[in-house]
Structures are given as C-alpha cells and as structure tokens.
Amino acid sequence: AQSVTQPDIHITVSEGASLELRCNYSYGATPYLFWYVQSPGQGLQLLLKYFSGDTLVQGIKGFEAEFKRSQSSFNLRKPSVHWSDAAEYFCASILTGGGNKLTFGTGTQLKVEL
Amino acid sequence: GAVVSQHPSWVICKSGTSVKIECRSLDFQATTMFWYRQFPKQSLMLMATSNEGSKATYEQGVEKDKFLINHASLTLSTLTVTSAHPEDSSFYICSAREGQAGGGYTFGSGTRLTVV
C-alpha cells in the first residue's frame, strides 16, 4: 500500500537558518505530492505540489521542494526560516491512477528559536 | 483562490446529543469532499469520501451510523456526529476537490468538537 513517511517528528532551527523537512513515499508509480502547513487549531494550507515536469517546485512563503525519483523523496526546503514558520508540516500524496485520496505523513513539528 | 468554509469552528455538546458540522465550497463546485479526523499531535486520518448526490464512502473502521455524511449539493457537505460520546472529541477537518484528481484540494479551518 502507498505510504508517506516523514522521518522527523520534531525539528528546531534558529531564525534565519536554512530548513529541510524530509518526506519519502513508497510505491513505484509517480505520485502527486503535496506539502501542507498547519498552525495550531487551524486547517491546512497548501505550500506547493508536484505532478510532473520540473522536479524543483516553488511554493508560497519562500518554500521549495525537490522531487527525486531515485530516492523516492520530496523534501521541503527554505533558505532562511522566519519565526512565523513555526507550525506543523505535512507531506501528502495521491497515487496517480489510484483514485483521489490524499495520504498524509505523520507530520513534522517545526520550532523556530529566536 | 478556492475557499472552503467550515462551521462551526468549535462546539461543545453533551453526551448522547448529535452535532452537525458544515463544509461549504464558496467559489467553486466540489464534486467530492473529504472528511478527516485529527487527534492531538497526530496526522489527519481520512474518515470518508463524500460524493455529491450519492452515498459517502467510508474508510475501514469508521462507523457509518455514527458519522452521517450528506452531500446534497455541489457546494455543501455535512458531517453529523450522532449520539456523541467523549471519545468522539476530536478535531474534524473537511476538504473539497475541484477539477481533476490531484488538483485543487482545499481544506476548511476545522471544527474542534468536545463532548462532555
């Protein structure tokens, strides 16, 4: 069965430092991949998505993600983190041709130290 | 962009009563809506897929009679938690899909349900 793995439950970075959140998927076909951010008590906001084409995807709020088929990864990056980026980040996927259900990773809690 | 409105944002109810949560797509037609449940510090678990004009498809382990889903129009889906118990307390989030698969998944702001 398809699955999405986020190996890091918690990550702490200093404001201004770079950030990389890891996401791996586990199936042979190319999935649709997403990164969402969730602030406490709120819904989810889409940061970026990958369907096909250029493997480096630009998103909102200065985030980007790179799809690497050889590593089955879709890691989220930001060159300089702001205190307001502290939140929960979810990687999600839909298997192409496999319906329309989003499968979520377990999430990574980002803490930003001032 | 696409907006999904979810109401109420929070609700407290007594055990044994029923609670209805609404999910509306404000500026697009949503042929499919999804209902998720999220426990504290955990990920989102899909409860059911709601298709306009037809019965919802429930995920394994989700009680159909407890979590009633109605998708009577292309802009509104409702989740009713029937005979609520404290263990039903959770954060419920809806999502609406616009267009082709993989595109345009927009989430509501969630509903915090507390059953006392």
Side-chain angles (χ1 to χ4, degrees):
Chain A
Q2 66 181 71
S3 68
V4 176
T5 304
Q6 293 180 248
D8 305 304
I9 298 175
H10 297 99
I11 282 186
T12 300
V13 299
S14 299
E15 189 175 37
S18 63
L19 172 69
E20 182 169 33
L21 302 182
R22 296 185 290 168
C23 173
N24 295 96
Y25 63 93
S26 62
Y27 27 76
T30 300
Y32 295 150
L33 294 162
F34 306 79
W35 274 101
Y36 286 90
V37 61
Q38 184 182 34
S39 296
Q42 299 295 314
L44 276 69
Q45 182 182 23
L46 178 66
L47 291 175
L48 45 80
K49 59 188 176 185
Y50 172 77
F51 293 165
S52 63
D54 192 347
T55 56
L56 184 61
V57 181
Q58 301 297 320
I60 62 172
K61 302 185 178 185
F63 286 93
E64 66 177 26
E66 186 171 12
F67 173 68
K68 292 186 178 180
R69 183 187 302 277
S70 61
Q71 298 178 20
S72 297
S73 69
F74 188 57
N75 295 347
L76 182 71
R77 301 193 295 247
K78 186 170 185 177
S80 178
V81 171
H82 189 262
W83 64 268
S84 59
D85 292 324
E88 186 85 19
Y89 291 80
F90 292 98
C91 182
S93 73
I94 300 171
L95 183 62
T96 52
N100 54 17
K101 298 180 185 179
L102 270 176
T103 297
F104 284 89
T106 50
T108 298
Q109 181 71 48
L110 174 64
K111 180 180 178 181
V112 179
E113 292 182 332
L114 300 177
Chain B
V3 177
V4 171
S5 174
Q6 186 172 342
H7 179 81
S9 56
W10 61 271
V11 57
I12 302 173
C13 69
K14 293 183 178 180
S15 289
T17 61
S18 296
V19 174
K20 179 183 286 187
I21 302 170
E22 293 187 348
C23 182
R24 293 180 183 273
S25 57
L26 296 186
D27 49 2
F28 67 100
Q29 292 184 331
T31 55
T32 304
M33 290 185 174
F34 304 87
W35 287 96
Y36 295 86
R37 183 173 181 175
Q38 185 180 30
F39 291 102
K41 300 187 183 301
Q42 294 190 24
S43 188
L44 283 74
M45 300 302 296
L46 180 65
M47 299 174 64
T49 302
S50 169
N51 295 298
E52 186 268 336
S54 63
K55 291 183 179 180
T57 304
Y58 290 81
E59 295 300 301
Q60 189 174 7
V62 178
E63 297 178 61
K64 302 179 183 181
D65 295 333
K66 167 166 277 297
F67 299 101
L68 300 179
I69 291 173
N70 183 278
H71 195 158
S73 77
L74 286 171
T75 59
L76 174 64
S77 177
T78 60
L79 168 67
T80 301
V81 183
T82 63
S83 186
H85 292 281
E87 57 265 31
D88 298 324
S89 298
S90 190
F91 193 60
Y92 294 88
I93 307 176
C94 70
S95 172
R97 181 175 69 116
E98 177 186 20
Q100 296 296 318
Y105 285 76
T106 303
F107 285 79
S109 56
T111 298
R112 170 71 60 192
L113 170 63
T114 302
V115 184
V116 298

